[in-house]
Amino acid sequence: MNTYFKDEYTFLSEFKERLEKRYIVELANASTRQKYNVLGEMVSEVIADNWMDTKNVLSNNNLKEVYYFSMEFLMGRLITNNIMNLGLRNVIEKGLEIEGLDLNEIEHFESDAGLGNGGLGRLAACFLDSIASLGYPGYGNGIRYRYGLFEQKIQGGYQIEKPDDWLKDGYVWEVRKDEESITVPFGGKVIFEEGNAVYYPDELINAVPYDVPIVGNDNGVITHLRLWNAEPTEKRPSDKDAFAYDSEIRKISGFLYPDDTTREGKVLRLKQQYFFSAAGVKSIIERHLEKYEDFALLPEKVVIQINDTHPSIVVAELMRLLVDDHGLEWDEAWDITTRTCAYTNHTILAEALEKWSVDIFQPVLPRIYQIVEEINRRFCKELLDKGYDQEKVTKLAIISNGRVHMAHLAIVGSFSVNGVAALHTNILKNIEMKDFSNLYPNKFNNKTNGITHRRWLLHSNPELSSIMDMVSDNWVNDPNELEKLLKKATTKKYRTLVKKMKKTKKVALAERIEKEQGIKLDPNSIFDIQVKRLHEYKRQLMNALHIMYVYNKLKSDSNFKENYYPHSFIFGAKAASGYHFAKKVIKLINTIAEKVNNDPETSDLLKVVFVENYNVTYAEAIMPACDLSEQISTASKEASGTGNMKFMMNGALTIGTLDGANVEIAELVGEENILLFGLNADEVNQVNIDKTYNPKAIYDNHVDLHLVIDQLTNGFFEDVAKEEFREISDRLLFSDNYLVLEDFEGYRLAHARANDLYKDEEAWFKATIINIAKSGYFSSDRTIKQYATEIWNIKPIK
Ligand code: 26V
């Protein structure tokens, strides 16, 4: 252990001295930025020691390593995680306390590393935490976006996007490694010289790695996340001047998900994908060759996990390196590639399955395109040889109808294809990717997602952690031990403890919301929360309609009012900047909030708030404060969900459909401890096949729902134009693919059951405790162990 952290006094005196030396300031006058930077540097030095040790151990043995390639890593803040995983919290906290300082305030200075959109990116971050904490040799590989996911402001009820300038104060955790830079080629032409392809690119882009340490919990292991930064080289297209070119290059690592509605945007996104995939593969190969003589051992020493299709181009890039640069025969290269790559699918939504137009793909990546063509030619031949008819072959082809199907490339080029929850994997195998699953029955497998219980329970809910400590002294190392809480579900003592914990977390969240948005929530009300990206399939709209229904009832039905337990409905969601309809839903929620919160007749019973700029750090305050977790997607559409797991682990009951991992939550807790409603995945599928969804008939026959839908356009909301929500009512009645009206009645009834259950305090907290106790299964440690043994075949560092 680094001696500065020996005890609180040593820490404090070093902390003060560094402030004086680095910033010429005394502690009493130091800014939060200065304190944060000094603390970050001190912690980084401890990390450096362990990092060196881990590197040395790894270079002295020949363990197989996993590389997790992902376009997104939604890391959030690292300071708390790093301090806690290194076991330094106590000393730092006590040291600062001597001077009356609060560690929380210093931690809050760190910006979230928001290098992701939602579930897929946060999953990658949870996985890295589990990999390091379980001591596996595993690394992340992604892009160092200059700007992360936009910062959301709400103005007049509308979402406004602001650039997320997360690097403005520097980033204490990253280490730039100029020496390991790699050049990535784009454009140009391929000439065949003596039978060999020689590639003459138009431009070479410098990929500079920045390594961010990933600190294992209490095990001395540090792995890393390698993020690539795009920088110019001398080699640029002849028609471009150096300054314009410089800014163009920097765009490649400029923004997460740049607008891809234009051709320019699409080119940029493809360049991003190739940029970090190619840089990642090349650095792996170089490292491999330093240690081992040739490539024959690659599949035994390296596995590349392709997170969704965005990095699936690694299949072609690895082939290019092996065949063009290292002279391997095609068959041998293909054998190595397909034993090295594995692919995870995260969605069945057709619009999210990437297909690149050949017109874009070929000019940007001419050599890669040729290789994809060759992979495709051989694959199609194999199918024809097997007796597939031409129609089937076209359907499965990697290139067809002028487009490159990235999912097909990933499936054909990988030895494993996995879904992210049992239901999702079954849908992949039996419906969406049925032909591929028949072709490669052994490739398909399930790995139900998980979340790191360290960030989502230990760090963000110390109150619940202390309760856990009373029943197990090993739950942090073995989250299955959470189950020991089960036998306490029927004891008054534990119900009271959990109730008290909930109240504390609700008070804290309510205070934050009041401070930031001026809306006062009653911490004794039911906190009903839906936080996730805004998307039609997630059905925030159904939640909003139900709140309108409740409001109408409270105004018109005294029995209903008498029976109604006070509720606070909390939303948090970002809408993609070009997703017009999703933004309308945000406006609707805010319009409802405005009306409802200001009605003295109902405001003791009903409050609505849309929290601004929901992100990882906000989630850490929200998850523990929830009573009722809204997981209400149209069945079959949400591949897994991971917010559902975070809420459950913190003692919320789920109100939800049998979709994604909700199915597994229901199996674990039993149907009496979850509020299920709505069509299941088979039923949704059948309705779509039979085309029997008739929203107009539901509207005509459901008096209360009829009123709500009319209120969208009849002037019920005074502060917006009468037509503001016309497209919402039109969508609901005429073109809704997500069956909102179909499931509304079931949803309403499930809410009524939740309302009644909450009033029975004993029953509610018993169910809460059962949910917490059963949530250990959803630790990403379990998920990562399954990946490690069933896909990666890797072993932990001793
Ligand atoms: C992407 C896009 C992009 C274009 C517009 C529509 C659209 C809709 C969905 C997506 C999702 C991309 C993949 C993704 O983020 N999947 C999420 O992965 C999580 C981790 O496995 C999982 O929990 C979520 O259910 C799944 O939606």
Side-chain angles (χ1 to χ4, degrees):
M1 173 60 66
N2 187 306
T3 49
Y4 305 140
F5 292 98
K6 196 170 62 156
D7 58 52
E8 61 265 39
Y9 303 102
T10 321
F11 160 72
L12 185 62
S13 89
E14 179 68 21
F15 184 65
K16 286 181 176 170
E17 197 177 321
R18 288 189 183 216
L19 277 169
E20 288 168 16
K21 282 196 183 137
R22 170 144 180 206
Y23 293 112
I24 330 296
V25 68
E26 280 174 10
L27 177 58
N29 300 321
S31 67
T32 310
R33 183 184 71 89
Q34 292 166 334
K35 286 181 274 200
Y36 169 82
N37 282 341
V38 165
L39 182 62
E41 274 166 18
M42 290 177 71
V43 175
S44 293
E45 287 172 23
V46 181
I47 291 177
D49 289 345
N50 291 349
W51 207 348
M52 270 313 281
D53 291 348
T54 307
K55 269 188 192 224
N56 288 336
V57 171
L58 282 174
S59 65
N60 292 330
N61 65 35
N62 295 333
L63 289 179
K64 183 174 181 182
E65 301 178 332
V66 61
Y67 292 85
Y68 198 82
F69 276 45
S70 178
M71 191 96 168
E72 304 187 10
F73 288 92
L74 200 44
M75 303 298 285
R77 255 184 216 148
L78 291 186
I79 186 153
T80 311
N81 198 66
N82 291 352
I83 287 176
M84 303 225 3
N85 282 5
L86 291 169
L88 302 177
R89 182 150 204 120
N90 221 343
V91 166
I92 298 173
E93 231 164 29
K94 280 196 187 151
L96 294 172
E97 249 166 43
I98 297 173
E99 294 287 341
L101 295 171
D102 180 5
L103 173 56
N104 283 311
E105 195 192 311
I106 299 177
E107 288 169 312
H108 277 262
F109 182 80
E110 184 170 318
S111 308
D112 270 33
L115 312 183
N117 279 289
L120 170 137
R122 183 54 231 173
L123 184 77
C126 284
F127 279 7
L128 292 183
D129 183 68
S130 285
I131 286 171
S133 293
L134 295 170
Y136 286 114
Y139 312 92
N141 186 72
I143 298 177
R144 181 178 180 268
Y145 299 104
R146 176 65 188 81
Y147 296 92
L149 180 62
F150 66 84
E151 188 192 336
Q152 179 191 56
K153 297 267 177 221
I154 301 294
Q155 280 174 15
Y158 296 100
Q159 168 177 297
I160 307 287
E161 301 100 35
K162 292 261 155 72
D164 164 47
D165 195 1
W166 73 290
L167 286 170
K168 67 175 184 301
D169 297 304
Y171 193 49
V172 283
W173 310 114
E174 67 184 5
V175 181
R176 180 178 163 107
K177 300 244 165 108
D178 277 289
E179 297 70 18
E180 295 179 46
S181 297
I182 280 176
T183 48
V184 180
F186 286 101
K189 54 185 182 294
V190 183
I191 293 176
F192 284 85
E193 294 169 5
E194 293 166 18
N196 293 322
V198 184
Y199 176 31
Y200 295 95
D202 253 358
E203 49 180 333
L204 292 175
I205 290 172
N206 200 17
V208 182
Y210 284 73
D211 289 349
V212 179
I214 307 294
V215 179
N217 181 42
D218 201 16
N219 64 355
V221 172
I222 312 277
T223 71
H224 64 254
L225 164 60
R226 173 159 282 196
L227 297 174
W228 298 95
N229 197 48
E231 298 177 15
T233 64
E234 291 302 299
K235 171 99 183 119
R236 61 170 198 270
S238 48
D239 59 332
K240 292 194 176 151
D241 88 79
F243 284 112
Y245 189 59
D246 188 289
S247 75
E248 198 181 310
I249 293 309
R250 290 182 194 279
K251 274 190 196 158
I252 292 181
S253 50
F255 289 88
L256 171 78
Y257 253 162
D259 170 33
D260 64 1
T261 50
T262 60
R263 183 183 164 96
E264 204 193 339
K266 289 198 175 82
V267 167
L268 188 53
R269 187 161 159 77
L270 180 61
K271 280 187 161 182
Q272 288 188 325
Q273 295 187 353
Y274 183 65
F275 169 73
F276 89 97
S277 302
V281 175
K282 183 103 182 263
S283 74
I284 292 171
I285 293 283
E286 284 182 356
R287 193 174 138 94
H288 179 82
L289 287 182
E290 278 167 20
K291 254 181 135 173
Y292 309 99
E293 262 142 50
D294 60 20
F295 292 106
L297 275 179
L298 191 71
E300 280 158 54
K301 296 299 170 193
V302 169
V303 52
I304 296 176
Q305 189 68 38
I306 300 173
N307 194 31
D308 222 72
T309 54
H310 323 137
S312 53
I313 211 157
V314 298
V315 170
E317 175 63 7
L318 187 50
M319 287 299 289
R320 187 184 76 81
L321 287 176
L322 297 179
V323 174
D324 290 359
D325 293 5
H326 294 276
L328 267 68
E329 290 300 323
W330 182 278
D331 287 337
E332 194 191 350
W334 184 245
D335 176 62
I336 290 171
T337 299
T338 52
R339 286 192 294 124
T340 303
C341 297
Y343 158 60
T344 306
N345 173 285
H346 294 266
T347 182
I348 59 157
L349 291 186
E351 68 268 35
L353 287 178
E354 283 191 307
K355 298 170 201 79
W356 287 107
S357 157
V358 172
D359 296 344
I360 286 177
F361 199 103
Q362 188 171 26
V364 176
L365 305 169
R367 181 57 187 151
I368 291 295
Y369 183 70
Q370 288 175 346
I371 287 172
V372 175
E373 268 187 321
E374 182 59 14
I375 296 172
N376 183 51
R377 190 187 66 77
R378 288 170 181 248
F379 173 61
C380 291
K381 179 169 181 305
E382 184 188 319
L383 295 180
L384 290 166
D385 290 349
K386 283 205 163 107
Y388 284 59
D389 63 31
Q390 190 55 54
E391 194 186 335
K392 245 313 166 29
V393 175
T394 308
K395 192 173 155 207
L396 299 188
I398 298 166
I399 306 174
S400 62
N401 304 316
R403 298 201 292 181
V404 185
H405 294 245
M406 301 308 273
H408 297 190
L409 176 63
I411 297 169
V412 174
S414 298
F415 67 88
S416 161
V417 177
N418 76 281
V420 291
L423 175 70
H424 169 62
T425 301
N426 283 334
I427 293 173
L428 287 179
K429 284 207 276 197
N430 301 325
I431 303 173
E432 296 299 320
M433 296 179 171
K434 190 171 178 191
D435 295 317
F436 281 109
S437 161
N438 288 339
L439 182 63
Y440 307 120
N442 299 325
K443 268 193 197 184
F444 284 75
N445 64 91
N446 178 58
K447 295 288 167 282
T448 297
N449 282 167
I451 55 168
T452 165
H453 62 286
R454 286 166 291 273
R455 181 175 292 255
W456 297 108
L457 174 51
L458 180 66
H459 305 167
S460 59
N461 197 342
E463 292 81 357
L464 181 52
S465 298
S466 332
I467 298 174
M468 282 318 307
D469 290 343
M470 295 163 63
V471 296
S472 164
D473 54 14
N474 195 35
W475 67 271
V476 177
N477 292 321
D478 178 8
N480 290 320
E481 294 254 316
L482 292 177
E483 200 151 352
K484 288 203 170 150
L485 197 61
L486 202 54
K487 57 178 187 292
K488 307 293 186 189
T490 47
T491 68
K492 178 135 196 267
K493 177 177 165 194
Y494 278 82
R495 285 198 304 266
T496 310
L497 284 169
V498 169
K499 183 181 165 195
K500 200 167 149 226
M501 170 282 288
K502 248 318 143 196
K503 180 78 180 283
T504 307
K505 303 315 265 182
K506 285 162 74 174
V507 168
L509 178 62
E511 279 171 1
R512 172 164 179 182
I513 289 173
E514 185 172 8
K515 189 163 147 235
E516 290 181 10
Q517 293 180 237
I519 299 173
K520 204 173 163 70
L521 302 181
D522 172 6
N524 292 314
S525 64
I526 298 177
F527 277 24
D528 177 307
I529 308 187
Q530 186 171 21
V531 284
K532 48 183 80 245
R533 283 303 290 255
L534 214 138
H535 201 288
E536 283 170 276
Y537 82 80
K538 296 178 186 281
R539 300 200 292 196
Q540 283 94 347
L541 178 55
M542 185 163 76
N543 189 346
L545 298 179
H546 176 257
I547 295 169
M548 290 173 69
Y549 157 83
V550 168
Y551 178 70
N552 290 337
K553 283 288 194 190
L554 289 175
K555 301 280 281 184
S556 65
D557 181 338
S558 58
N559 279 337
F560 184 95
K561 190 169 181 181
E562 211 160 283
N563 192 35
Y564 196 69
Y565 198 93
H567 277 64
S568 299
F569 289 94
I570 300 169
F571 292 84
K574 289 181 181 176
S577 63
Y579 193 171
H580 175 76
F581 191 81
K583 289 179 148 180
K584 256 304 179 228
V585 173
I586 292 180
K587 173 66 180 168
L588 175 64
I589 294 167
N590 282 315
T591 307
I592 296 171
E594 189 67 28
K595 175 152 186 120
V596 164
N597 295 347
N598 292 312
D599 186 337
E601 216 185 313
T602 58
S603 64
D604 287 347
L605 291 170
L606 181 61
K607 281 276 167 63
V608 182
V609 45
F610 187 96
V611 300
E612 202 171 48
N613 201 37
Y614 173 64
N615 60 10
V616 174
T617 295
Y618 214 147
E620 289 165 18
I622 288 175
M623 297 300 166
C626 178
D627 296 306
L628 198 54
S629 147
E630 297 270 353
Q631 308 300 336
I632 59 177
S633 52
T634 315
S636 78
K637 303 296 181 197
E638 188 71 271
S640 159
T642 44
N644 46 1
M645 303 168 184
K646 293 165 198 162
F647 280 124
M648 174 193 186
M649 197 174 271
N650 283 280
L653 266 56
T654 303
I655 180 166
T657 47
L658 277 172
D659 199 14
N662 297 353
V663 176
E664 287 155 85
I665 295 178
E667 277 164 11
L668 284 163
V669 300
E671 297 216 349
E672 60 291 3
N673 296 306
I674 183 169
L675 296 133
L676 294 173
F677 68 92
L679 299 188
N680 66 26
D682 288 338
E683 288 162 346
V684 167
N685 195 23
Q686 205 55 50
V687 166
N688 288 333
I689 290 170
D690 300 342
K691 300 196 167 49
T692 48
Y693 180 43
N694 185 350
K696 186 69 182 14
I698 300 171
Y699 168 77
D700 288 339
N701 291 317
H702 196 304
V703 181
D704 297 323
L705 192 51
H706 193 110
L707 174 62
V708 167
I709 290 174
D710 287 353
Q711 284 169 337
L712 293 172
T713 53
N714 71 3
F716 168 76
F717 297 115
E718 306 83 4
D719 297 335
V720 294
K722 227 173 140 188
E723 293 300 305
E724 178 74 35
F725 302 121
R726 168 73 60 192
E727 59 188 299
I728 295 186
S729 87
D730 282 353
R731 177 69 52 92
L732 288 166
L733 293 175
F734 307 114
S735 60
D736 169 26
N737 293 322
Y738 300 105
L739 312 181
V740 171
L741 301 196
E742 177 73 42
D743 276 350
F744 183 86
E745 178 62 9
Y747 183 51
R748 183 186 77 78
L749 291 169
H751 264 295
R753 298 202 303 277
N755 182 75
D756 294 344
L757 187 63
Y758 197 85
K759 289 201 233 163
D760 181 349
E761 200 176 288
E762 198 176 312
W764 182 273
F765 285 101
K766 181 178 165 207
T768 292
I769 291 175
I770 293 172
N771 271 270
I772 299 168
K774 290 289 183 176
S775 69
Y777 178 76
F778 295 112
S779 165
S780 46
D781 287 6
R782 185 266 313 148
T783 315
I784 285 300
K785 282 184 194 156
Q786 288 183 324
Y787 273 88
T789 54
E790 297 164 22
I791 301 178
W792 300 337
N793 191 23
I794 59 169
K795 306 245 155 8
I797 306 164
K798 280 268 175 328

